[in-house]
Amino acid sequence: LRNTVLLGIFYTIGIMASYLAYQKGGTASQIVPIGQSVVIVTVILAAIFIGERDNLIKKLVAAALVTAGVLLLK
């Protein structure tokens, strides 16, 4: 329950930050790539809070490749 509440708080902060970025004049081409970094942050936070340290380097590389792939689709 604690992890779920923490995830909800971070997700809410992320949504509010994206909304404020759009209000301040940011374009989707500027804001979306920053939002894609959530994949990498998720891997890092999972290693810290949950203790998922098996194959950490592989997970970080995979997360970076996924983010790069999403950016190339644009």
Side-chain angles (χ1 to χ4, degrees):
L1 182 61
R2 180 189 63 155
N3 290 339
T4 304
V5 170
L6 188 61
L7 175 66
I9 290 169
F10 284 129
Y11 189 73
T12 302
I13 291 169
I15 295 278
M16 290 171 41
S18 294
Y19 181 71
L20 290 173
Y22 282 117
Q23 277 189 333
K24 298 291 182 184
T27 62
S29 63
Q30 295 170 324
I31 298 170
V32 171
I34 295 169
Q36 295 303 319
S37 66
V38 72
V39 175
I40 296 172
V41 172
T42 301
V43 171
I44 294 169
L45 291 177
I48 293 170
F49 290 111
I50 302 174
E52 290 186 8
R53 291 186 175 86
D54 299 339
N55 301 320
L56 187 59
I57 299 297
K58 288 181 183 178
K59 289 178 183 179
L60 287 172
V61 169
L65 289 173
V66 167
T67 302
V70 169
L71 295 175
L72 290 174
L73 288 175
K74 293 182 181 199

